[in-house]
Amino acid sequence: MADIIKLLPDHVANQIAAGEVVQRPASVVKELLENAIDAGATTIKLIVKDGGKSLVQVVDNGVGMSTTDARLSFERHATSKIQSAEDLFNLNTKGFRGEALASIAAIAHIELQTKTEDEEVGTAIHIEGSKINSQEVVVTPKGTSLAVKHLFFNIPARRNFLKSDSVELRHITDEFHRVALAHPSVALHYYNNGSELFNLPQSNFRQRIVNIFGKKANEKLVPVTEETQVVKVSGFICKPEFAKKSRGEQYFFVNNRFVKSHYLHHAVLAAFEGLIKQGMHPGYFLNLEVDPGSIDINIHPTKTEIKFDDEQTLYAILRSTIKHSLGQFNVAPTLDFEHNNNLETPYSYKNKSAVLPKVVVDSTFNPFKEEAKPKRSGNNSIPNYKKQNTPSWESLYVEGAPLERESTNFGNLSFESEVSTESIFEGESKDLDTAAITFQLKRKYIVTTIKSGMVVINQGRAHQRVLYERFLRSVTLNEALSQQLLFPIQLSFSASEIDILKEIKNNLITMGFVFGEISTDTVEINGVPPLVAEAEVLSIFDELLADCQQNIGADGFSQADVLSKALCKSLAVKTGDILDNLSQAALVNDLFACTESTVSPFNKPIYVTITENDIDKKFI
């Protein structure tokens, strides 16, 4: 039998490795930025075009590379970070496996220019699909400039799986934020299609957070500091009142490396237990410094997952540290819920004695001195005081005789047992008697009769379907209704969230939102759809942004679909809401008037039908 096992060519092996290292342009950004950090750069520029598909370029002022190092850097497993296998458990750098540049060069066009401080001229290398086309001497400043062009040019199937430019740009921005937060002492500049998105100067950690997420982020932060033999914890957590329904501003950094850890995330949630509502997520920016020998960061190709030797101890320390910070800065509630600072004695009064108050009494005051002596009737010694009839206050506004008071008939009073939710539909008939048609079961279901039996409808899912088709119709026909707000609402968002709002602004307008001025970190809302309460606008926008960050598509219909689903989920009636008979009947009628009434917008069943035969079988 002939031999069938053969060694793969280098360019094929590099393409296979690229499948693990490079999933999208954001992966290239992560690798290049980490290399610039390892090179000791103090200023880094990130330049992106067309969501990273056409160009991803990183320019730094680090130590640079010599001519030989520049050539070797694109070979597989060529690295300056480690020398032996033992070095894998004592890592203080970002990239260490030597696969990144070789993998990127296998699926893109590479232009590298680099120079060390000691050399007078630098080196320029051009690579296309692992093939080095040229290497020449150039005049370039100290540092390295690496441009990655036409990503996946030789793998069209992988390129077709990339999302739209806006989605890919959002992933690049997320990677930029992670590197920028982990290294506040490095100045970073971020450009997209010729326009500057971020200009982050060298600063401390708190100022870096404010520069990225806006000025309003400063008032949200609560400092966290704790140092033990196991771990040193520092950073900030967001106050409980700023918790969101989406998992947005949540960052763990272990030895200045961004990591994802569900176990540590659960420790943070445990510390916030009782302070935030169910389903809400707190924000945090936490730095953990541990012994490099006690962690393993080589368990995942992207190096975003990490393995700790003693997770339980780390969990307990992190949970107690956050709880201590919440209590230390008076974020957690205390027993004195009505604490009044006016009752506290100032320090300047600590040596003063109490002074008795002086009360002046008029000893000659007699309230009965002008009263006439009471008349006595017969032998009865009890005074007979007669009340004088004085006109009521209504007589001051009526000419003629004073008004007589109407007797109150308490027999006509009715008592309200429960507060019913207002009508959720517009234009409902008020004289429709539907008491015998529908009724509400457990504040969750609406039961109505049909010819063959009865229908049990989930009120929340039914309302979602009605609102979903209504919003889609308003987007398609551009016939949205809006209610103007007496006082405009000012909402604060980060720069990346503002970009998303600008992208979906036109679709939101067709749904009934009216926008005012949009600045770099605030949005003014002048009008909302009729069903949106003013107090719910912020939570609705938080859910919209969270859904759009994950699901938004390239075409207008996909955006409208995502926005319609997000809005109907936020505005639909919930389990526990009480509906009057008119609202129940209107909901049933509008549901069966929809084009699709069997499933909700999230593909869940809306109602079940119970026939008369099904009921008869229960009595057999």
Side-chain angles (χ1 to χ4, degrees):
M1 181 178 178
D3 297 334
I4 59 175
I5 298 179
K6 299 179 181 179
L7 289 175
L8 290 174
D10 287 342
H11 69 280
V12 178
N14 288 335
Q15 287 186 358
I16 295 174
E20 296 181 350
V21 178
V22 183
Q23 288 87 24
R24 57 190 346 136
S27 304
V28 177
V29 172
K30 174 182 181 295
E31 299 291 346
L32 298 185
L33 288 179
E34 288 182 348
N35 286 341
I37 295 293
D38 287 340
T42 58
T43 301
I44 301 175
K45 293 182 180 179
L46 172 62
I47 303 171
V48 176
K49 288 186 179 179
D50 300 331
K53 300 174 184 177
S54 299
L55 173 66
V56 172
Q57 184 177 5
V58 173
V59 183
D60 65 72
N61 63 346
V63 295
M65 292 182 287
S66 64
T67 303
T68 305
D69 289 343
R71 183 68 174 262
L72 282 177
S73 63
F74 293 99
E75 298 295 329
R76 292 196 69 198
H77 304 302
T79 178
S80 62
K81 312 299 175 56
I82 60 176
Q83 301 296 331
S84 62
E86 288 75 13
D87 294 339
L88 291 173
F89 299 96
N90 189 24
L91 291 171
N92 296 303
T93 57
K94 308 296 182 185
F96 52 86
R97 292 182 299 186
E99 288 182 312
L101 291 183
S103 301
I104 295 171
I107 54 175
H109 296 176
I110 302 292
E111 293 182 5
L112 171 68
Q113 293 185 5
T114 182
K115 186 181 84 71
T116 61
E117 187 175 7
D118 299 333
E119 296 177 346
E120 296 182 356
V121 293
T123 302
I125 298 178
H126 296 269
I127 302 176
E128 292 184 6
S130 295
K131 180 182 179 181
I132 298 179
N133 291 338
S134 64
Q135 181 174 355
E136 55 189 7
V137 176
V138 295
V139 177
T140 182
K142 169 186 169 258
T144 303
S145 172
L146 199 151
V148 179
K149 299 181 179 179
H150 312 301
L151 194 64
F152 299 122
F153 78 100
N154 53 355
I155 311 179
R158 289 288 302 273
R159 189 176 181 89
N160 292 335
F161 275 99
L162 295 179
K163 303 297 183 181
S164 63
D165 292 351
S166 59
V167 174
E168 297 298 338
L169 181 66
R170 200 165 300 126
H171 286 285
I172 293 175
T173 304
D174 291 339
E175 293 293 345
F176 177 81
H177 287 170
R178 294 168 182 175
V179 175
L181 290 171
H183 303 276
S185 60
V186 179
L188 292 108
H189 307 269
Y190 181 14
Y191 302 91
N192 174 49
N193 293 335
S195 61
E196 186 179 63
L197 297 184
F198 288 94
N199 185 355
L200 306 178
Q202 296 180 356
S203 60
N204 55 29
F205 190 41
R206 186 179 194 122
Q207 189 61 41
R208 178 57 59 91
I209 296 173
V210 173
N211 290 337
I212 293 177
F213 296 100
K215 298 179 181 178
K216 292 292 183 179
N218 191 32
E219 64 186 32
K220 304 178 184 179
L221 303 179
V222 176
V224 177
T225 304
E226 185 66 42
E227 186 172 358
T228 65
Q229 295 179 352
V230 178
V231 61
K232 179 181 179 181
V233 182
S234 62
F236 301 91
I237 55 176
C238 294
K239 296 178 181 178
E241 58 264 29
F242 296 102
K244 297 182 179 180
K245 294 184 178 180
S246 61
R247 297 185 180 183
E249 302 168 356
Q250 297 178 345
Y251 296 89
F252 276 119
F253 302 99
V254 177
N255 295 349
N256 293 331
R257 180 192 298 275
F258 172 80
V259 298
K260 297 178 181 178
S261 176
H262 298 289
Y263 193 70
L264 296 182
H265 175 72
H266 190 273
V268 177
L269 292 181
F272 277 89
E273 185 178 2
L275 299 178
I276 58 177
K277 297 180 180 179
Q278 187 72 22
M280 304 294 285
H281 301 277
Y284 52 82
F285 309 88
L286 296 175
N287 295 306
L288 308 180
E289 295 183 19
V290 298
D291 181 12
S294 65
I295 58 176
D296 184 4
I297 60 177
N298 200 26
I299 63 175
H300 194 273
T302 60
K303 301 186 288 293
T304 56
E305 297 182 7
I306 197 169
K307 178 66 177 177
F308 297 94
D309 286 349
D310 192 358
E311 288 186 336
Q312 294 182 348
T313 303
L314 199 62
Y315 182 99
I317 293 175
L318 185 61
R319 179 177 176 270
S320 60
T321 300
I322 295 176
K323 272 186 169 296
H324 176 70
S325 296
L326 291 173
Q328 182 181 6
F329 293 92
N330 296 326
V331 177
T334 59
L335 293 177
D336 190 6
F337 293 100
E338 298 180 356
H339 181 67
N340 189 353
N341 293 328
N342 295 327
L343 299 180
E344 294 183 353
T345 304
Y347 285 108
S348 58
Y349 286 81
K350 63 180 181 179
N351 296 324
K352 292 186 178 181
S353 59
V355 179
L356 294 177
K358 296 180 179 179
V359 180
V360 179
V361 179
D362 186 3
S363 58
T364 61
F365 176 73
N366 184 6
F368 303 101
K369 64 181 180 180
E370 296 181 359
E371 292 289 337
K373 293 182 179 181
K375 297 180 180 180
R376 300 179 182 273
S377 58
N379 295 328
N380 191 0
S381 61
I382 299 176
N384 184 14
Y385 295 103
K386 184 178 180 180
K387 182 179 179 181
Q388 297 181 357
N389 291 327
T390 57
S392 61
W393 62 271
E394 292 93 337
S395 62
L396 298 175
Y397 303 94
V398 181
E399 295 182 359
L403 296 176
E404 296 183 359
R405 297 186 179 183
E406 298 181 357
S407 61
T408 303
N409 186 7
F410 292 96
N412 297 329
L413 290 179
S414 61
F415 297 92
E416 187 178 28
S417 59
E418 290 179 324
V419 179
S420 178
T421 304
E422 294 293 333
S423 179
I424 59 175
F425 296 95
E426 298 178 356
E428 296 173 355
S429 175
K430 299 301 182 182
D431 56 353
L432 180 63
D433 186 11
T434 59
I437 300 176
T438 64
F439 71 92
Q440 194 175 21
L441 177 64
K442 297 293 184 180
R443 300 185 184 181
K444 184 177 182 180
Y445 303 102
I446 297 176
V447 182
T448 184
T449 57
I450 55 176
K451 291 183 179 180
S452 60
M454 64 180 180
V455 178
V456 181
I457 303 172
N458 186 302
Q459 65 183 28
R461 296 178 184 178
H463 200 196
Q464 286 178 1
R465 167 55 64 178
V466 173
L467 294 178
Y468 173 73
E469 296 198 1
R470 181 180 300 180
F471 285 129
L472 276 185
R473 192 182 308 113
S474 64
V475 172
T476 305
L477 303 178
N478 197 11
E479 296 178 352
L481 299 177
S482 300
Q483 58 181 7
Q484 296 294 319
L485 299 176
L486 183 60
F487 300 102
I489 302 175
Q490 297 285 343
L491 303 179
S492 298
F493 298 104
S494 62
S496 58
E497 291 173 336
I498 292 292
D499 293 336
I500 299 176
L501 284 176
K502 290 180 179 178
E503 184 178 345
I504 64 177
K505 176 182 175 183
N506 292 333
N507 282 327
L508 290 177
I509 291 176
T510 58
M511 292 180 178
F513 288 96
V514 180
F515 290 88
E517 182 182 358
I518 300 180
S519 62
T520 56
D521 57 353
T522 58
V523 175
E524 184 179 85
I525 306 296
N526 295 328
V528 295
L531 294 176
V532 177
E534 184 175 348
E536 299 177 353
V537 174
L538 179 58
S539 62
I540 290 175
F541 271 82
D542 286 339
E543 290 189 16
L544 282 175
L545 292 173
D547 292 339
C548 291
Q549 286 176 347
Q550 301 297 330
N551 304 320
I552 197 166
D555 55 347
F557 178 77
S558 297
Q559 291 186 12
D561 181 69
V562 171
L563 295 178
S564 299
K565 287 181 179 179
L567 281 176
C568 74
K569 181 173 62 176
S570 300
L571 300 178
V573 295
K574 306 296 189 298
T575 299
D577 292 343
I578 304 174
L579 304 181
D580 55 24
N581 290 331
L582 291 175
S583 296
Q584 295 173 25
L587 181 57
V588 173
N589 294 334
D590 288 348
L591 171 64
F592 291 105
C594 294
T595 57
E596 175 58 68
S597 59
T598 58
V599 294
S600 71
F602 308 96
N603 294 323
K604 295 182 179 179
I606 296 178
Y607 63 87
V608 294
T609 303
I610 303 176
T611 63
E612 185 178 356
N613 293 332
D614 296 334
I615 300 175
D616 292 338
K617 291 179 182 178
K618 300 295 182 181
F619 293 93
I620 296 177

